[in-house]
Amino acid sequence: MKFTTKYSELVKAVQSCTRVIAAASPSPILTNILIDASSNKEKGLVRLFATDLEMYYEIFISATIEIPGDVMVSAKIFNEILGSFSGEAEISFNCNTENFNINLKNNKLECTIFGIAPDDFPALPFFEKIYSFNFSLAKLQQTIKDTLYAASVEQVKPVFCGLCLKPLNNGIRAIATDGKRLAFAEYQLPDSQLKEQNEIIIMAKVLNEISKCQSDPENDEIEIMVCSNQIAFKAKSYSYYARLIEGKFPDYNQVIPKDKKLKVIAKVSEFSDSLKKTIPIAKDNSYSAKFNIADNMLVCSAKSTKIGSMELKTSVAIEEGESIEINFNVKFFIEILSTIKSDECIMEYTTPQAPVKIYPKEELTNENHIHILMPVRPGFTV
């Protein structure tokens, strides 16, 4: 097995494979990367493949393949060794298929590492497509940024640990929640032939990896393929496959407030900057701070028995209602504001025990965003 490829392409491919591998892998085999220079030899492509058995990832890099073959290699060791070859344009990969020793070489450096016979590496499962649609990678990454922050990182309720995606007629809806906050986004796709389908729940890990992919303006499209219990994201040179999270997603329509008693408009950047200043003190009290809204002013106050106190005033515009005093997790509030693209946001309040509804004052064309945040009150969840 022998091929030559661009060093930069190989490094990026290995690094993206390494991120897929679980930190505490249930099997030593799963700590490896499969390097396949056989299946796409005619196209001049080498396939790198990694999995944790919940998510599968394959990426193709262009190469001059002299001798086809396959080998497994430790992802951690291979990634570390490749760091020693930086600065060179190309790298030669040569594997002895009798003992699977791998020789890496460029103009200045030569190294041999121990590979493993590829026979026991898990194969990519068969996926039977139910439906698929094409979507802009840049738009998918923006969707992830706009909503996935609200997903839970705790495994107590698996359906809270991912993104609920619902294909609509010529559009998609994305929702995430952890029981304390909820993010809702809809995108209309005017030129799409997409039809309404059932909701699916996509694990956060695969979406976090997709958010790191480099978007190419000239080849931005990605195919999203839904199977019975799996989903695939297929781009030109790489593909992610992941199991769907089983279970019923909470009824988010019941969470979004229908009424309001107080409507407030705030400048996003000014409001966010004010909240960030309270973090050093608020974090000592689980990031809790009090909002007092009255007379076109929002006063945010944080207190700590160990550190001290802080009070910050932000000018707002009260369009409806008069006043409210309510506690929030300021860290959560800042995360919501970071997703709003409009210069101003609208906040709708009802009572000190009810959630606040936050959304951009001006939406982008064909988009709709809503953020819900519960006030700080023990035992109260979405």
Side-chain angles (χ1 to χ4, degrees):
M1 175 184 179
K2 185 177 182 181
F3 64 85
T4 302
T5 187
K6 290 181 179 179
Y7 170 77
S8 59
E9 285 193 21
L10 181 61
V11 167
K12 289 179 182 178
V14 171
Q15 289 175 345
S16 55
C17 283
T18 301
R19 292 196 302 268
V20 171
I21 297 169
S25 178
S27 168
I29 289 291
L30 301 179
T31 63
N32 296 290
I33 297 172
L34 177 68
I35 301 176
D36 167 16
S38 298
S39 58
N40 288 269
K41 179 180 181 299
E42 295 76 13
K43 297 179 181 179
L45 297 174
V46 172
R47 173 177 173 259
L48 284 78
F49 181 55
T51 181
D52 64 358
L53 297 185
E54 286 193 330
M55 180 168 72
Y56 298 82
Y57 174 68
E58 61 180 1
I59 183 169
F60 299 88
I61 60 173
S62 55
T64 302
I65 303 172
E66 298 182 38
I67 304 173
D70 305 85
V71 67
M72 273 195 307
V73 63
S74 165
K76 180 180 179 181
I77 293 173
F78 194 31
N79 190 35
E80 290 176 349
I81 292 295
L82 284 175
S84 302
F85 286 81
S86 61
E88 292 296 317
E90 290 189 332
I91 188 170
S92 174
F93 184 106
N94 192 348
C95 177
N96 183 332
T97 51
E98 292 183 1
N99 58 18
F100 293 99
N101 287 349
I102 298 169
N103 178 266
L104 300 171
K105 184 179 180 181
N106 65 11
N107 293 330
K108 297 179 180 179
L109 179 62
E110 184 172 357
C111 177
T112 298
I113 58 176
F114 302 137
I116 309 169
D119 305 347
D120 296 329
F121 200 80
L124 184 66
F126 172 74
F127 296 92
E128 186 174 356
K129 181 174 73 172
I130 297 177
Y131 65 90
S132 67
F133 59 97
N134 292 337
F135 200 57
S136 159
L137 174 59
K139 181 62 71 176
L140 177 59
Q141 291 173 326
Q142 188 61 54
T143 303
I144 294 168
K145 180 181 182 296
D146 289 344
T147 55
L148 196 61
Y149 75 87
S152 176
V153 295
E154 300 175 357
Q155 298 295 325
V156 179
K157 296 182 179 180
V159 294
F160 283 8
C161 298
L163 182 70
C164 177
L165 189 73
K166 180 171 177 56
L168 308 170
N169 290 324
N170 298 328
I172 64 165
R173 178 184 299 151
I175 314 99
T177 183
D178 62 1
K180 301 180 183 69
R181 51 194 173 160
L182 181 144
F184 173 102
E186 279 189 353
Y187 305 89
Q188 295 300 313
L189 311 173
D191 299 326
S192 171
Q193 299 300 313
L194 185 61
K195 302 298 182 184
E196 184 166 348
Q197 305 284 349
N198 292 331
E199 294 175 352
I200 57 174
I201 308 175
I202 308 166
M203 64 170 63
K205 181 178 179 179
V206 69
L207 295 172
N208 283 326
E209 289 306 313
I210 291 170
S211 69
K212 299 171 186 174
C213 295
Q214 186 171 357
S215 179
D216 180 2
E218 296 182 1
N219 187 34
D220 182 52
E221 202 166 68
I222 189 168
E223 180 187 7
I224 301 176
M225 184 174 76
V226 179
C227 307
S228 58
N229 63 346
Q230 303 274 352
I231 189 167
F233 299 88
K234 306 183 76 172
K236 184 178 180 180
S237 61
Y238 62 87
S239 297
Y240 285 95
Y241 305 82
R243 68 169 182 83
L244 293 171
I245 297 176
E246 297 181 0
K248 183 173 177 58
F249 200 76
D251 186 356
Y252 45 87
N253 289 312
Q254 295 295 322
V255 177
I256 300 174
K258 306 297 188 295
D259 302 317
K260 61 181 181 296
K261 292 184 178 179
L262 178 66
K263 183 178 179 181
V264 180
I265 299 175
K267 293 182 179 179
V268 173
S269 60
E270 182 182 345
F271 188 26
S272 179
D273 288 344
S274 291
L275 296 184
K276 288 175 183 177
K277 292 174 182 177
T278 68
I279 290 290
I281 292 178
K283 69 179 180 181
D284 191 52
N285 191 24
S286 301
Y287 295 98
S288 176
K290 181 183 291 184
F291 286 19
N292 193 320
I293 306 172
D295 300 324
N296 290 327
M297 189 69 66
L298 190 155
V299 181
C300 178
S301 55
K303 293 182 180 180
S304 165
T305 56
K306 298 178 182 179
I307 303 172
S309 62
M310 179 182 291
E311 184 177 283
L312 283 159
K313 297 180 180 180
T314 304
S315 297
V316 296
I318 298 178
E319 283 203 345
E320 299 177 30
E322 295 180 358
S323 64
I324 195 170
E325 189 174 279
I326 186 169
N327 294 337
F328 285 113
N329 181 314
V330 289
K331 185 178 178 182
F332 286 175
F333 222 115
I334 292 166
E335 285 181 323
I336 290 173
L337 295 174
S338 71
T339 71
I340 295 179
K341 306 171 190 69
S342 173
D343 291 337
E344 295 179 308
C345 69
I346 296 175
M347 298 174 283
E348 295 180 358
Y349 301 86
T350 52
T351 70
Q353 294 78 37
V356 59
K357 179 180 176 181
I358 309 161
Y359 55 95
K361 184 180 179 183
E362 296 179 359
E363 285 279 20
L364 297 177
T365 304
N366 297 321
E367 293 189 13
N368 180 33
H369 298 81
I370 298 171
H371 305 271
I372 307 298
L373 181 60
M374 300 302 303
V376 176
R377 189 160 74 90
F380 199 86
T381 56
V382 176

